[in-house]
Coordinates of all heavy atoms in Angstrom, one line a residue:
A1 N 44.0 158.0 -258.8 CA 44.4 159.3 -259.4 C 45.7 159.7 -258.7 O 45.9 160.9 -258.4 CB 43.3 160.3 -259.2
G2 N 46.6 158.8 -258.5 CA 47.9 159.1 -258.0 C 48.0 159.4 -256.5 O 49.0 159.9 -256.0
K3 N 46.9 159.1 -255.8 CA 46.8 159.3 -254.3 C 46.5 158.0 -253.6 O 45.7 157.2 -254.0 CB 45.7 160.3 -254.0 CG 46.0 161.7 -254.6 CD 45.0 162.7 -254.1 CE 45.3 164.1 -254.7 NZ 44.4 165.1 -254.2
L4 N 47.2 157.9 -252.4 CA 46.9 156.8 -251.5 C 45.7 157.1 -250.7 O 45.5 158.2 -250.3 CB 48.1 156.5 -250.6 CG 49.3 155.9 -251.2 CD1 50.4 155.9 -250.2 CD2 49.0 154.5 -251.8
G5 N 44.8 156.1 -250.5 CA 43.7 156.3 -249.6 C 43.2 155.1 -249.0 O 43.7 154.0 -249.2
V6 N 42.1 155.2 -248.2 CA 41.5 154.1 -247.5 C 40.0 154.3 -247.6 O 39.5 155.4 -247.3 CB 41.9 154.1 -246.0 CG1 41.2 153.0 -245.3 CG2 43.4 154.0 -245.9
S7 N 39.3 153.2 -247.9 CA 37.9 153.2 -247.8 C 37.5 152.5 -246.5 O 37.9 151.4 -246.3 CB 37.2 152.5 -249.0 OG 37.4 153.3 -250.1
I8 N 36.6 153.1 -245.7 CA 36.1 152.5 -244.5 C 34.7 152.0 -244.8 O 33.9 152.8 -245.3 CB 36.1 153.5 -243.3 CG1 37.4 154.0 -243.0 CG2 35.4 152.8 -242.1 CD1 37.4 155.2 -242.0
V9 N 34.4 150.7 -244.6 CA 33.1 150.2 -244.9 C 32.4 149.8 -243.6 O 33.0 149.0 -242.8 CB 33.2 149.0 -245.9 CG1 31.8 148.5 -246.2 CG2 33.9 149.5 -247.2
L10 N 31.2 150.3 -243.4 CA 30.4 149.9 -242.3 C 29.3 149.0 -242.7 O 28.6 149.3 -243.7 CB 29.8 151.2 -241.6 CG 30.8 152.3 -241.3 CD1 30.0 153.5 -240.8 CD2 31.8 151.9 -240.3
R11 N 29.1 147.9 -242.0 CA 28.0 146.9 -242.4 C 27.2 146.5 -241.2 O 27.8 146.1 -240.2 CB 28.6 145.7 -243.1 CG 29.2 146.0 -244.4 CD 29.6 144.6 -245.1 NE 30.3 144.9 -246.3 CZ 31.6 145.0 -246.5 NH1 32.4 144.8 -245.4 NH2 32.1 145.2 -247.7
C12 N 25.9 146.6 -241.3 CA 25.0 146.2 -240.2 C 23.5 146.2 -240.7 O 23.2 147.0 -241.6 CB 25.2 147.2 -239.0 SG 24.2 146.8 -237.6
P13 N 22.7 145.4 -240.2 CA 21.3 145.5 -240.6 C 20.5 146.7 -240.0 O 19.5 147.1 -240.5 CB 20.6 144.2 -240.0 CG 21.7 143.4 -239.5 CD 22.9 144.2 -239.3
D14 N 21.1 147.4 -239.0 CA 20.5 148.5 -238.3 C 21.1 149.9 -238.8 O 22.2 150.2 -238.4 CB 20.6 148.4 -236.8 CG 19.9 149.4 -236.0 OD1 19.6 150.5 -236.5 OD2 19.6 149.1 -234.8
I15 N 20.3 150.6 -239.6 CA 20.8 151.9 -240.1 C 21.2 152.9 -239.0 O 22.2 153.6 -239.1 CB 19.8 152.5 -241.1 CG1 20.4 153.8 -241.8 CG2 18.5 152.9 -240.4 CD1 21.5 153.5 -242.7
N16 N 20.5 152.8 -237.9 CA 20.8 153.7 -236.8 C 22.2 153.5 -236.2 O 22.9 154.4 -235.8 CB 19.8 153.6 -235.7 CG 18.4 154.2 -236.1 OD1 18.4 155.2 -236.8 ND2 17.4 153.5 -235.8
K17 N 22.6 152.2 -236.1 CA 23.9 151.8 -235.6 C 25.0 152.3 -236.6 O 26.1 152.7 -236.2 CB 24.0 150.3 -235.3 CG 23.1 149.9 -234.1 CD 23.2 148.5 -233.8 CE 22.3 148.1 -232.6 NZ 22.4 146.7 -232.3
I18 N 24.7 152.1 -237.9 CA 25.6 152.6 -238.9 C 25.8 154.1 -238.8 O 26.9 154.6 -238.9 CB 25.2 152.2 -240.3 CG1 25.4 150.7 -240.5 CG2 25.9 152.9 -241.4 CD1 24.9 150.1 -241.8
E19 N 24.7 154.8 -238.7 CA 24.8 156.3 -238.6 C 25.6 156.7 -237.4 O 26.3 157.7 -237.4 CB 23.4 156.9 -238.7 CG 22.8 156.8 -240.0 CD 23.5 157.4 -241.2 OE1 24.3 158.4 -241.0 OE2 23.4 156.9 -242.3
K20 N 25.4 156.0 -236.3 CA 26.2 156.3 -235.0 C 27.7 156.2 -235.3 O 28.5 157.0 -234.9 CB 25.7 155.4 -233.9 CG 26.4 155.7 -232.6 CD 25.9 154.7 -231.5 CE 26.6 154.9 -230.2 NZ 28.0 154.3 -230.2
C21 N 28.1 155.0 -235.9 CA 29.5 154.8 -236.2 C 30.0 155.9 -237.2 O 31.1 156.4 -237.0 CB 29.7 153.4 -236.8 SG 29.6 152.1 -235.6
N22 N 29.2 156.2 -238.2 CA 29.6 157.2 -239.2 C 29.9 158.5 -238.5 O 30.9 159.1 -238.8 CB 28.5 157.3 -240.2 CG 28.8 158.3 -241.3 OD1 29.8 158.0 -242.1 ND2 28.1 159.3 -241.5
L23 N 29.0 158.9 -237.6 CA 29.2 160.2 -236.9 C 30.5 160.1 -236.0 O 31.3 161.1 -236.0 CB 28.0 160.5 -236.0 CG 28.1 161.8 -235.2 CD1 28.2 163.0 -236.2 CD2 26.8 161.9 -234.4
E24 N 30.8 159.0 -235.4 CA 32.0 158.9 -234.6 C 33.2 159.0 -235.5 O 34.2 159.6 -235.1 CB 32.0 157.5 -233.8 CG 31.0 157.5 -232.7 CD 30.9 156.2 -232.0 OE1 31.9 155.4 -232.0 OE2 29.8 155.9 -231.4
I25 N 33.2 158.3 -236.6 CA 34.3 158.3 -237.6 C 34.5 159.8 -238.1 O 35.6 160.3 -238.1 CB 34.0 157.3 -238.7 CG1 34.2 155.9 -238.2 CG2 35.1 157.6 -239.8 CD1 33.7 154.8 -239.1
L26 N 33.4 160.4 -238.5 CA 33.5 161.8 -239.0 C 34.1 162.7 -238.0 O 34.9 163.6 -238.3 CB 32.2 162.3 -239.5 CG 31.6 161.6 -240.7 CD1 30.2 162.2 -241.0 CD2 32.5 161.8 -241.9
N27 N 33.8 162.5 -236.7 CA 34.4 163.3 -235.6 C 35.9 163.2 -235.5 O 36.6 164.1 -235.4 CB 33.7 163.0 -234.3 CG 32.3 163.6 -234.2 OD1 32.0 164.6 -234.9 ND2 31.5 163.0 -233.4
F28 N 36.4 161.9 -235.5 CA 37.8 161.7 -235.4 C 38.5 162.2 -236.7 O 39.7 162.7 -236.6 CB 38.2 160.3 -234.9 CG 38.5 159.3 -236.0 CD1 39.6 159.3 -236.8 CD2 37.6 158.2 -236.1 CE1 39.8 158.3 -237.7 CE2 37.8 157.2 -237.0 CZ 38.9 157.3 -237.9
L29 N 37.9 162.1 -237.8 CA 38.5 162.5 -239.1 C 38.7 164.1 -239.0 O 39.7 164.6 -239.5 CB 37.7 162.1 -240.3 CG 37.6 160.6 -240.6 CD1 36.6 160.4 -241.7 CD2 38.9 160.0 -240.9
K30 N 37.7 164.7 -238.5 CA 37.7 166.2 -238.4 C 38.9 166.6 -237.5 O 39.7 167.5 -237.8 CB 36.4 166.7 -237.9 CG 36.4 168.2 -237.8 CD 35.0 168.7 -237.3 CE 35.0 170.2 -237.1 NZ 33.7 170.6 -236.6
D31 N 39.0 165.9 -236.3 CA 40.1 166.2 -235.4 C 41.4 166.0 -236.0 O 42.4 166.7 -235.7 CB 39.9 165.3 -234.1 CG 38.7 165.7 -233.3 OD1 38.2 166.8 -233.5 OD2 38.3 164.9 -232.4
K32 N 41.6 164.9 -236.8 CA 42.9 164.6 -237.4 C 43.1 165.4 -238.7 O 44.1 165.2 -239.3 CB 43.0 163.1 -237.7 CG 43.1 162.3 -236.4 CD 43.2 160.8 -236.8 CE 43.4 159.9 -235.5 NZ 44.7 159.7 -235.2
K33 N 42.1 166.1 -239.2 CA 42.1 166.9 -240.4 C 42.4 166.0 -241.6 O 43.3 166.3 -242.5 CB 43.2 168.0 -240.3 CG 42.8 169.0 -239.2 CD 43.9 170.1 -239.1 CE 43.5 171.2 -238.2 NZ 43.2 171.0 -236.9
I34 N 41.7 164.9 -241.7 CA 41.9 163.9 -242.8 C 40.8 164.2 -243.8 O 39.6 164.4 -243.5 CB 41.7 162.5 -242.3 CG1 42.9 162.1 -241.4 CG2 41.7 161.5 -243.4 CD1 42.8 160.8 -240.7

């Protein structure tokens, strides 16, 4: 839609590890206002 972007994909058999990474990513995105 006319915008540049990036998709971050997390893969692992353990949902808890994925959720931990997701939270860490969301925290730095909030800090960077992305």
Side-chain angles (χ1 to χ4, degrees):
K3 295 183 179 186
L4 289 173
V6 178
S7 289
I8 301 169
V9 179
L10 310 173
R11 292 185 184 95
C12 180
D14 186 336
I15 187 67
N16 294 319
K17 291 179 180 182
I18 287 179
E19 290 301 330
K20 178 182 179 284
C21 283
N22 184 62
L23 184 59
E24 291 176 23
I25 291 168
L26 293 177
N27 285 335
F28 90 73
L29 294 175
K30 183 179 176 183
D31 291 344
K32 291 180 178 269
K33 296 178 174 60
I34 294 174

